[in-house]
Amino acid sequence: QVQLVESGGGLVQAGGSLRLSCAASGSILNINTMGWYRQAPGKQREFNAAIDSFGRTSYAESVKGRFTIYRDNAKNTVNLQMYNLKPEDTAVYYCNAHHWSRNYWGQGTQVTVSS
C-alpha cells in the first residue's frame, strides 16, 4: 500500500555530512508517521528520527543535534540531513512509514563513515 525508496547514501569521512531522501507513494502528509532507522552489521535495527503528519519530530539520543528529519512537500519526500558523521553511524539506513498500525520499509541505503 505504501512504497518507499531511499537514496543518498554513500561514503563520507568522519565529520562530514550527508543527506538521505525517502520517496513515498501517495502523499507523505497522509501517513501517520515517517522515520529513519539504521542497522549496522551484527546489530539490531535502531530508531534514528521520526516525523508525524503534523510535522512533529523526535530523535534518538545518539543522533540528536547532528541529524535533522524534515519533509519536502513539493517533492513528496522525507529527508534526513546528517552532520558531523561518525564511524559508528556506518549502517544501512531504512525509511519507515507507520500508518494505522502497519509498518512499511524501504530497501535501505548504505552509509559508510571512514575515520
Side-chain angles (χ1 to χ4, degrees), residues 12-57:
V12 64
Q13 292 184 341
S17 62
L18 209 59
R19 181 169 63 244
L20 307 181
S21 295
C22 175
S25 61
S27 176
I28 59 172
L29 298 178
N30 294 330
I31 298 175
N32 295 153
T33 303
M34 297 193 68
W36 285 94
Y37 292 70
R38 68 189 182 190
Q39 187 167 21
K43 297 183 178 180
Q44 292 185 327
R45 189 169 300 184
E46 66 175 359
F47 167 80
N48 293 143
I51 185 168
D52 67 14
S53 59
F54 297 99
R56 297 174 297 194
T57 60

Side-chain angles (χ1 to χ4, degrees), residues 4 6 18-23 28 31-38 46-60 63-73 76-83 93-98 105:
L4 306 171
E6 304 96 334
L18 209 59
R19 181 169 63 244
L20 307 181
S21 295
C22 175
I28 59 172
I31 298 175
N32 295 153
T33 303
M34 297 193 68
W36 285 94
Y37 292 70
R38 68 189 182 190
E46 66 175 359
F47 167 80
N48 293 143
I51 185 168
D52 67 14
S53 59
F54 297 99
R56 297 174 297 194
T57 60
S58 61
Y59 297 92
V63 305
K64 190 175 298 181
R66 298 188 300 120
F67 292 7
T68 301
I69 187 170
Y70 66 97
R71 299 188 302 234
D72 187 330
N73 295 331
N76 197 46
T77 60
V78 173
N79 303 327
L80 186 70
Q81 178 65 59
M82 304 181 292
Y83 292 108
Y93 284 71
Y94 296 91
C95 181
N96 167 262
H98 185 73
W105 298 93

Side-chain angles (χ1 to χ4, degrees), residues 80-113:
L80 186 70
Q81 178 65 59
M82 304 181 292
Y83 292 108
N84 192 25
L85 284 163
K86 305 175 181 180
E88 51 263 43
D89 294 320
T90 296
V92 177
Y93 284 71
Y94 296 91
C95 181
N96 167 262
H98 185 73
H99 191 62
W100 297 113
S101 300
R102 185 168 296 181
N103 277 295
Y104 303 87
W105 298 93
Q107 294 297 311
T109 184
Q110 177 71 47
V111 172
T112 302
V113 184

